[in-house]
Coordinates of all heavy atoms in Angstrom, one line a residue:
I1 N 89.1 88.5 90.7 CA 89.1 87.1 90.9 C 88.6 86.4 89.6 O 87.5 86.7 89.1 CB 88.1 86.7 92.0 CG1 88.5 87.4 93.3 CG2 87.9 85.2 92.2 CD1 87.5 87.3 94.4
P2 N 89.5 85.7 89.0 CA 89.2 85.1 87.7 C 88.2 84.0 87.8 O 88.2 83.2 88.7 CB 90.5 84.6 87.2 CG 91.3 84.3 88.4 CD 90.9 85.4 89.4
M3 N 87.2 84.0 86.9 CA 86.2 83.0 86.8 C 86.8 81.9 85.9 O 87.7 82.1 85.1 CB 84.9 83.5 86.4 CG 84.4 84.6 87.3 SD 84.5 84.2 89.1 CE 83.4 82.9 89.4
R4 N 86.1 80.7 85.9 CA 86.7 79.6 85.2 C 86.9 79.8 83.7 O 87.8 79.3 83.2 CB 85.8 78.3 85.5 CG 84.4 78.3 85.0 CD 83.8 77.0 85.3 NE 82.3 77.2 85.1 CZ 81.5 76.4 85.7 NH1 81.8 75.4 86.4 NH2 80.2 76.7 85.5
D5 N 86.0 80.5 83.0 CA 86.2 80.7 81.6 C 87.5 81.5 81.3 O 88.2 81.4 80.3 CB 85.0 81.4 80.9 CG 84.7 82.8 81.5 OD1 84.9 83.0 82.7 OD2 84.2 83.6 80.8
L6 N 87.9 82.4 82.2 CA 89.1 83.2 82.1 C 90.4 82.4 82.4 O 91.4 82.7 81.8 CB 89.0 84.5 83.0 CG 87.9 85.4 82.7 CD1 88.0 86.6 83.7 CD2 87.9 86.0 81.3
L7 N 90.2 81.4 83.3 CA 91.4 80.6 83.7 C 92.0 79.9 82.5 O 93.2 79.7 82.3 CB 91.1 79.7 84.8 CG 90.7 80.3 86.1 CD1 90.4 79.2 87.1 CD2 91.8 81.1 86.6
E8 N 91.1 79.4 81.6 CA 91.5 78.6 80.5 C 92.2 79.5 79.5 O 93.2 79.1 78.9 CB 90.3 77.9 79.8 CG 89.7 76.8 80.7 CD 88.5 76.2 80.1 OE1 88.3 76.4 78.9 OE2 87.8 75.5 80.8
K9 N 91.7 80.7 79.3 CA 92.2 81.6 78.3 C 93.5 82.3 78.7 O 94.4 82.5 78.0 CB 91.2 82.6 77.9 CG 91.5 83.4 76.7 CD 90.2 84.2 76.3 CE 90.5 84.9 75.0 NZ 89.4 85.7 74.5
W10 N 93.6 82.6 80.0 CA 94.7 83.4 80.6 C 95.2 82.8 81.9 O 95.0 83.3 83.0 CB 94.4 84.8 80.8 CG 94.1 85.6 79.5 CD1 94.9 85.9 78.5 CD2 92.8 86.1 79.1 NE1 94.3 86.6 77.5 CE2 93.0 86.7 77.9 CE3 91.6 86.2 79.7 CZ2 92.0 87.4 77.2 CZ3 90.5 86.8 79.0 CH2 90.7 87.4 77.8
P11 N 95.9 81.6 81.9 CA 96.3 80.9 83.1 C 97.5 81.4 83.8 O 97.8 81.0 84.9 CB 96.4 79.5 82.6 CG 97.0 79.6 81.2 CD 96.3 80.8 80.7
D12 N 98.4 82.2 83.1 CA 99.7 82.5 83.7 C 99.7 83.9 84.3 O 98.9 84.8 84.0 CB 100.7 82.4 82.6 CG 100.9 81.0 82.1 OD1 100.8 80.1 82.9 OD2 101.0 80.8 80.9
E13 N 100.7 84.1 85.2 CA 100.9 85.4 85.9 C 100.9 86.5 84.9 O 101.7 86.4 83.9 CB 102.2 85.3 86.7 CG 102.5 86.6 87.5 CD 101.6 86.7 88.7 OE1 101.2 85.7 89.3 OE2 101.3 87.9 89.1
G14 N 100.2 87.5 85.1 CA 100.2 88.7 84.2 C 99.5 88.5 82.9 O 99.5 89.5 82.1
D15 N 98.8 87.4 82.7 CA 98.1 87.2 81.4 C 96.8 87.9 81.3 O 96.4 88.4 80.3 CB 97.8 85.7 81.2 CG 98.9 84.9 80.7 OD1 100.0 85.5 80.3 OD2 98.8 83.7 80.5
L16 N 96.1 88.1 82.4 CA 94.7 88.7 82.4 C 94.8 90.1 81.9 O 95.7 90.9 82.3 CB 94.1 88.7 83.8 CG 93.6 87.4 84.3 CD1 93.2 87.5 85.8 CD2 92.4 86.9 83.5
P17 N 94.0 90.5 80.9 CA 94.0 91.9 80.4 C 93.9 92.9 81.5 O 94.6 93.9 81.4 CB 92.8 91.9 79.4 CG 92.6 90.5 79.0 CD 93.0 89.7 80.2
L18 N 93.1 92.7 82.5 CA 93.0 93.7 83.6 C 94.3 93.8 84.3 O 94.8 94.9 84.6 CB 91.9 93.3 84.5 CG 91.7 94.3 85.7 CD1 91.4 95.7 85.3 CD2 90.6 93.8 86.6
S19 N 95.0 92.7 84.6 CA 96.3 92.8 85.3 C 97.3 93.5 84.4 O 98.1 94.4 84.9 CB 96.8 91.4 85.5 OG 96.0 90.7 86.5
R20 N 97.3 93.3 83.1 CA 98.3 94.0 82.2 C 98.0 95.5 82.2 O 98.9 96.3 82.3 CB 98.2 93.4 80.8 CG 98.9 92.0 80.7 CD 99.1 91.6 79.3 NE 98.0 91.9 78.4 CZ 97.1 90.9 78.0 NH1 97.2 89.7 78.4 NH2 96.1 91.2 77.2
A21 N 96.7 95.8 82.1 CA 96.3 97.2 82.1 C 96.7 98.0 83.4 O 97.2 99.1 83.4 CB 94.8 97.4 81.8
L22 N 96.4 97.3 84.5 CA 96.8 97.9 85.8 C 98.3 98.1 85.9 O 98.8 99.2 86.3 CB 96.3 97.1 87.0 CG 94.8 97.1 87.2 CD1 94.4 96.0 88.1 CD2 94.3 98.4 87.6
R23 N 99.1 97.1 85.5 CA 100.5 97.3 85.6 C 101.0 98.4 84.6 O 102.0 99.1 85.0 CB 101.2 95.9 85.2 CG 101.1 94.9 86.4 CD 101.9 93.7 86.1 NE 101.8 92.8 87.2 CZ 101.0 91.7 87.2 NH1 100.3 91.4 86.2 NH2 100.9 90.9 88.3
A24 N 100.4 98.5 83.5 CA 100.8 99.6 82.6 C 100.6 101.0 83.2 O 101.2 101.9 82.8 CB 100.0 99.4 81.3
H25 N 99.7 101.1 84.2 CA 99.5 102.3 84.8 C 100.1 102.4 86.2 O 99.8 103.2 87.0 CB 98.0 102.5 85.0 CG 97.3 102.9 83.7 ND1 96.8 102.0 82.8 CD2 97.1 104.1 83.1 CE1 96.3 102.5 81.7 NE2 96.5 103.8 81.9
G26 N 101.1 101.5 86.4 CA 101.9 101.6 87.7 C 101.2 101.0 88.9 O 101.6 101.2 90.0
I27 N 100.1 100.2 88.7 CA 99.4 99.6 89.8 C 99.6 98.1 89.8 O 99.4 97.4 88.8 CB 97.8 99.9 89.6 CG1 97.6 101.4 89.6 CG2 97.1 99.2 90.8 CD1 96.2 101.7 89.2
E28 N 100.2 97.6 90.9 CA 100.5 96.2 91.0 C 99.3 95.4 91.6 O 98.9 95.6 92.7 CB 101.7 96.0 91.9 CG 102.2 94.5 91.9 CD 102.6 94.0 90.5 OE1 103.1 94.8 89.7 OE2 102.4 92.8 90.3
P29 N 98.6 94.7 90.7 CA 97.4 94.0 91.2 C 97.8 92.7 92.0 O 98.9 92.2 91.9 CB 96.7 93.6 89.9 CG 97.8 93.4 88.9 CD 98.8 94.4 89.3
I30 N 96.8 92.2 92.7 CA 96.9 90.9 93.3 C 96.2 89.9 92.3 O 95.0 89.9 92.2 CB 96.3 90.8 94.7 CG1 97.0 91.7 95.7 CG2 96.2 89.4 95.2 CD1 96.4 91.8 97.0
D31 N 97.1 89.2 91.6 CA 96.6 88.3 90.5 C 96.4 86.9 91.1 O 97.3 86.2 91.3 CB 97.6 88.3 89.4 CG 97.1 87.6 88.1 OD1 96.0 87.0 88.2 OD2 97.8 87.7 87.1
L32 N 95.1 86.5 91.3 CA 94.8 85.2 91.8 C 94.6 84.1 90.7 O 94.4 83.0 90.9 CB 93.6 85.2 92.7 CG 93.7 86.1 93.9 CD1 92.5 86.1 94.7 CD2 94.9 85.7 94.7
G33 N 94.8 84.6 89.4 CA 94.6 83.7 88.3 C 95.5 82.5 88.3 O 95.1 81.3 88.2
P34 N 96.8 82.7 88.5 CA 97.8 81.6 88.4 C 97.6 80.5 89.5 O 97.5 79.3 89.2 CB 99.2 82.3 88.5 CG 98.9 83.6 87.9 CD 97.5 84.0 88.4
P35 N 97.4 80.9 90.8 CA 97.2 79.8 91.7 C 95.9 79.1 91.5 O 95.8 77.9 91.7 CB 97.3 80.5 93.1 CG 97.0 82.0 92.8 CD 97.5 82.2 91.5
M36 N 94.9 79.8 91.1 CA 93.6 79.2 90.9 C 93.7 78.3 89.7 O 93.1 77.1 89.7 CB 92.5 80.2 90.8 CG 91.1 79.5 90.7 SD 89.8 80.7 90.8 CE 89.7 81.0 92.6
A37 N 94.3 78.7 88.6 CA 94.5 77.9 87.4 C 95.2 76.6 87.7 O 94.9 75.5 87.3 CB 95.2 78.7 86.3
R38 N 96.3 76.7 88.5 CA 97.1 75.5 88.9 C 96.2 74.5 89.7 O 96.2 73.3 89.5 CB 98.3 75.9 89.8 CG 99.5 76.4 89.0 CD 100.7 76.5 89.8 NE 100.6 77.4 90.9 CZ 100.8 78.8 90.8 NH1 101.1 79.3 89.6 NH2 100.6 79.5 91.8
L39 N 95.4 75.0 90.7 CA 94.6 74.2 91.5 C 93.5 73.5 90.6 O 93.3 72.3 90.8 CB 93.9 75.0 92.6 CG 93.1 74.2 93.6 CD1 94.0 73.2 94.4 CD2 92.5 75.2 94.6
V40 N 92.9 74.2 89.7 CA 91.9 73.6 88.8 C 92.5 72.6 87.9 O 91.9 71.5 87.7 CB 91.2 74.8 88.0 CG1 90.3 74.2 86.9 CG2 90.3 75.6 89.0
R41 N 93.7 72.8 87.4 CA 94.4 71.8 86.6 C 94.7 70.6 87.4 O 94.5 69.4 86.9 CB 95.7 72.4 86.0 CG 95.5 73.2 84.8 CD 96.8 73.5 84.1 NE 97.8 74.1 84.9 CZ 98.1 75.4 85.0 NH1 97.3 76.2 84.4 NH2 99.0 75.8 85.8
E42 N 95.1 70.7 88.6 CA 95.4 69.6 89.5 C 94.2 68.8 90.0 O 94.2 67.6 90.1 CB 96.2 70.1 90.7 CG 97.6 70.6 90.4 CD 98.2 71.3 91.6 OE1 97.7 71.3 92.7 OE2 99.3 71.9 91.4
R43 N 93.1 69.5 90.4 CA 92.0 68.9 91.0 C 90.7 69.0 90.3 O 89.7 68.4 90.8 CB 91.9 69.5 92.4 CG 93.1 69.3 93.3 CD 93.0 69.5 94.7 NE 91.7 69.1 95.3 CZ 91.1 69.9 96.2 NH1 91.6 71.0 96.6 NH2 89.9 69.5 96.7
G44 N 90.6 69.7 89.2 CA 89.4 69.9 88.5 C 88.6 71.1 89.0 O 88.8 71.6 90.0
E45 N 87.7 71.5 88.1 CA 86.9 72.7 88.4 C 86.1 72.7 89.6 O 85.8 73.7 90.3 CB 86.0 73.0 87.2 CG 86.7 73.5 86.0 CD 85.7 73.9 84.9 OE1 84.5 73.7 85.0 OE2 86.2 74.4 83.8
A46 N 85.6 71.5 90.0 CA 84.7 71.3 91.2 C 85.3 71.8 92.5 O 84.7 72.1 93.4 CB 84.2 69.9 91.3
C47 N 86.7 71.8 92.5 CA 87.3 72.2 93.8 C 87.2 73.7 94.0 O 87.2 74.1 95.2 CB 88.8 71.8 93.8 SG 89.8 72.8 92.6
C48 N 87.0 74.5 93.0 CA 86.9 75.9 93.1 C 85.5 76.5 92.7 O 85.2 77.6 93.2 CB 87.9 76.6 92.3 SG 89.6 76.4 93.0
F49 N 84.8 75.8 91.9 CA 83.6 76.3 91.3 C 82.4 75.5 91.5 O 82.5 74.2 91.4 CB 83.8 76.6 89.8 CG 84.8 77.6 89.5 CD1 86.1 77.2 89.1 CD2 84.6 78.9 89.6 CE1 87.1 78.1 88.8 CE2 85.6 79.9 89.4 CZ 86.9 79.4 88.9
A50 N 81.3 76.1 91.8 CA 80.0 75.4 91.9 C 79.4 75.2 90.5 O 79.9 75.8 89.5 CB 79.0 76.2 92.7
P51 N 78.5 74.3 90.3 CA 77.9 74.1 89.0 C 77.4 75.3 88.3 O 77.4 75.4 87.1 CB 76.8 73.0 89.2 CG 77.2 72.3 90.5 CD 77.9 73.4 91.3
D52 N 76.9 76.3 89.1 CA 76.4 77.5 88.5 C 77.5 78.5 88.1 O 77.2 79.6 87.6 CB 75.4 78.1 89.4 CG 76.0 78.7 90.7 OD1 77.2 78.6 90.9 OD2 75.2 79.3 91.5
G53 N 78.7 78.2 88.3 CA 79.8 79.0 87.9 C 80.4 79.9 89.0 O 81.4 80.5 88.8
H54 N 79.7 80.1 90.1 CA 80.2 80.9 91.2 C 81.2 80.1 91.9 O 81.3 78.9 91.8 CB 79.0 81.2 92.2 CG 78.1 82.2 91.6 ND1 77.0 81.9 90.9 CD2 78.0 83.5 91.7 CE1 76.3 82.9 90.5 NE2 76.9 84.0 91.0
L55 N 82.0 80.7 92.8 CA 83.0 80.0 93.6 C 82.3 79.1 94.5 O 81.3 79.4 95.1 CB 83.8 81.0 94.4 CG 84.8 81.9 93.6 CD1 85.5 82.9 94.5 CD2 85.9 81.0 92.9
S56 N 82.9 77.9 94.7 CA 82.4 77.0 95.7 C 82.9 77.4 97.1 O 83.6 78.4 97.2 CB 83.0 75.6 95.4 OG 84.4 75.6 95.6
V57 N 82.4 76.7 98.1 CA 82.9 77.0 99.5 C 84.4 76.9 99.5 O 85.1 77.8 100.0 CB 82.3 76.0 100.5 CG1 82.9 76.1 101.9 CG2 80.8 76.2 100.6
E58 N 85.0 75.8 99.0 CA 86.5 75.7 99.0 C 87.1 76.8 98.1 O 88.1 77.3 98.5 CB 86.9 74.3 98.4 CG 88.4 74.1 98.4 CD 88.9 72.8 97.9 OE1 88.1 71.9 97.6 OE2 90.1 72.7 97.8
G59 N 86.5 77.1 97.0 CA 87.0 78.2 96.2 C 87.1 79.5 96.9 O 88.1 80.2 96.9
N60 N 86.0 79.8 97.7 CA 86.0 81.0 98.5 C 87.1 81.0 99.6 O 87.8 82.0 99.9 CB 84.7 81.3 99.1 CG 83.7 82.0 98.2 OD1 83.9 83.1 97.8 ND2 82.7 81.3 97.8
E61 N 87.3 79.8 100.2 CA 88.3 79.7 101.2 C 89.7 79.8 100.6 O 90.6 80.5 101.3 CB 88.2 78.3 101.9 CG 87.0 78.2 102.8 CD 86.7 76.7 103.3 OE1 87.4 75.8 102.8 OE2 85.9 76.6 104.2
R62 N 89.9 79.3 99.5 CA 91.2 79.4 98.8 C 91.5 80.9 98.5 O 92.6 81.4 98.7 CB 91.3 78.6 97.5 CG 91.2 77.1 97.8 CD 92.5 76.6 98.4 NE 92.5 75.2 98.5 CZ 93.5 74.4 98.4 NH1 94.7 74.9 98.0 NH2 93.4 73.1 98.5
V63 N 90.5 81.6 97.9 CA 90.7 83.0 97.5 C 91.0 83.8 98.8 O 91.9 84.6 98.7 CB 89.4 83.5 96.8 CG1 89.4 85.0 96.7 CG2 89.3 82.9 95.4
A64 N 90.3 83.6 99.9 CA 90.6 84.3 101.1 C 92.0 84.0 101.6 O 92.7 85.0 102.0 CB 89.5 83.9 102.2
G65 N 92.4 82.8 101.5 CA 93.8 82.5 102.0 C 94.8 83.1 101.1 O 95.8 83.7 101.6
W66 N 94.6 83.0 99.8 CA 95.6 83.7 98.8 C 95.7 85.2 99.0 O 96.7 85.8 99.0 CB 95.3 83.3 97.4 CG 95.5 81.9 97.0 CD1 96.4 81.0 97.5 CD2 94.7 81.1 96.1 NE1 96.3 79.8 97.0 CE2 95.2 79.8 96.1 CE3 93.6 81.4 95.4 CZ2 94.7 78.8 95.3 CZ3 93.0 80.4 94.6 CH2 93.6 79.1 94.6
L67 N 94.5 85.8 99.2 CA 94.5 87.2 99.4 C 95.2 87.6 100.7 O 96.0 88.5 100.7 CB 93.0 87.8 99.5 CG 92.3 88.0 98.1 CD1 90.9 88.3 98.4 CD2 93.0 89.0 97.3
A68 N 94.9 86.9 101.8 CA 95.6 87.2 103.0 C 97.1 87.1 102.9 O 97.8 87.9 103.4 CB 95.1 86.2 104.1
E69 N 97.6 86.0 102.2 CA 99.0 85.8 102.1 C 99.6 87.0 101.3 O 100.7 87.5 101.7 CB 99.3 84.5 101.3 CG 99.1 83.3 102.1 CD 99.1 82.0 101.2 OE1 99.4 82.2 100.0 OE2 98.8 80.9 101.7
R70 N 99.0 87.4 100.2 CA 99.5 88.4 99.4 C 99.5 89.8 100.0 O 100.4 90.6 99.9 CB 98.9 88.4 98.0 CG 99.4 87.3 97.2 CD 98.5 86.9 96.0 NE 99.0 85.8 95.2 CZ 99.0 84.5 95.6 NH1 98.6 84.1 96.7 NH2 99.5 83.6 94.8
I71 N 98.4 90.1 100.7 CA 98.3 91.3 101.4 C 99.3 91.4 102.5 O 100.0 92.5 102.7 CB 96.9 91.5 102.0 CG1 95.9 91.8 100.8 CG2 96.8 92.7 103.0 CD1 94.4 91.7 101.2
A72 N 99.5 90.3 103.3 CA 100.5 90.3 104.4 C 101.9 90.5 103.8 O 102.8 91.1 104.5 CB 100.4 89.0 105.1
A73 N 102.2 90.1 102.6 CA 103.5 90.2 102.0 C 103.9 91.5 101.5 O 105.0 91.9 101.2 CB 103.7 89.1 100.9
R74 N 102.8 92.4 101.3 CA 103.1 93.7 100.7 C 103.6 94.6 101.8 O 103.1 94.6 102.9 CB 101.8 94.2 100.1 CG 101.4 93.5 98.8 CD 100.2 94.1 98.2 NE 100.0 93.5 96.9 CZ 99.6 94.2 95.8 NH1 99.2 95.4 96.0 NH2 99.5 93.6 94.7
P75 N 104.4 95.5 101.4 CA 104.9 96.5 102.3 C 103.8 97.5 102.7 O 102.9 97.8 101.8 CB 106.0 97.2 101.6 CG 105.8 97.0 100.2 CD 105.1 95.7 100.1
G76 N 103.7 97.9 103.9 CA 102.7 98.9 104.3 C 103.1 100.3 103.9 O 104.3 100.5 103.4
P77 N 102.3 101.2 104.1 CA 102.7 102.6 103.8 C 103.7 103.1 104.8 O 103.9 102.6 105.9 CB 101.4 103.4 104.0 CG 100.5 102.5 104.9 CD 101.0 101.1 104.6
E78 N 104.5 104.0 104.3 CA 105.6 104.6 105.2 C 104.9 105.4 106.3 O 103.9 106.1 106.0 CB 106.5 105.5 104.3 CG 107.3 104.8 103.3 CD 108.3 103.9 103.8 OE1 108.9 104.3 104.9 OE2 108.5 102.8 103.3
P79 N 105.4 105.3 107.5 CA 104.9 106.1 108.6 C 105.0 107.6 108.3 O 106.0 108.0 107.7 CB 105.7 105.7 109.8 CG 106.6 104.6 109.4 CD 106.5 104.5 107.9
A80 N 104.0 108.3 108.7 CA 104.1 109.8 108.5 C 105.1 110.4 109.5 O 105.3 109.9 110.6 CB 102.7 110.4 108.7
E81 N 105.8 111.4 109.0 CA 106.8 112.1 109.9 C 106.0 112.9 110.9 O 105.0 113.6 110.5 CB 107.7 112.9 109.1 CG 108.7 112.1 108.3 CD 109.8 113.0 107.7 OE1 110.1 114.1 108.2 OE2 110.2 112.6 106.6
R82 N 106.5 112.9 112.1 CA 105.8 113.8 113.1 C 106.7 115.0 113.3 O 107.9 114.9 113.4 CB 105.7 113.0 114.4 CG 104.7 111.9 114.3 CD 104.5 111.2 115.6 NE 103.5 110.2 115.4 CZ 103.0 109.5 116.4 NH1 103.3 109.8 117.7 NH2 102.1 108.6 116.2
N83 N 106.1 116.1 113.4 CA 106.8 117.4 113.6 C 106.9 117.7 115.0 O 106.1 117.6 115.9 CB 106.2 118.5 112.8 CG 106.3 118.2 111.3 OD1 107.3 117.7 110.9 ND2 105.3 118.6 110.5

């Protein structure tokens, strides 16, 4: 989950160094940086972050929604064959 200092430096899909490193090892991360960066650009940091830098209530709600959407869109494991 990118924090506000990372959003400014790496706002686009696949920009975060951790995302790049995971992809280089064949692991597809759930990258929440781009949707959060867009929302912060549109509405300002206060929509996602509390003054102390932690996620705000709305920020936590957004992260939960984005995670649920992305998890639901991923294919599940193949069913095991029964003998």
Side-chain angles (χ1 to χ4, degrees):
I1 299 171
M3 299 317 290
R4 65 179 164 200
D5 60 326
L6 299 178
L7 294 179
E8 293 176 17
K9 194 169 184 179
W10 295 294
D12 297 319
E13 182 75 33
D15 277 357
L16 286 168
L18 178 58
S19 293
R20 288 195 313 262
L22 289 169
R23 285 186 180 102
H25 286 90
I27 300 168
E28 188 59 35
I30 295 177
D31 187 355
L32 300 180
M36 187 169 281
R38 279 190 299 276
L39 186 61
V40 167
R41 279 193 305 268
E42 291 168 5
R43 298 195 35 223
E45 288 183 355
C47 70
C48 289
F49 297 101
D52 67 359
H54 288 88
L55 290 174
S56 65
V57 171
E58 182 180 355
N60 277 295
E61 290 171 348
R62 295 288 184 143
V63 165
W66 292 325
L67 281 172
E69 289 170 4
R70 283 159 179 77
I71 290 169
R74 287 183 171 214
E78 294 294 320
E81 287 188 30
R82 294 186 179 190
N83 293 324

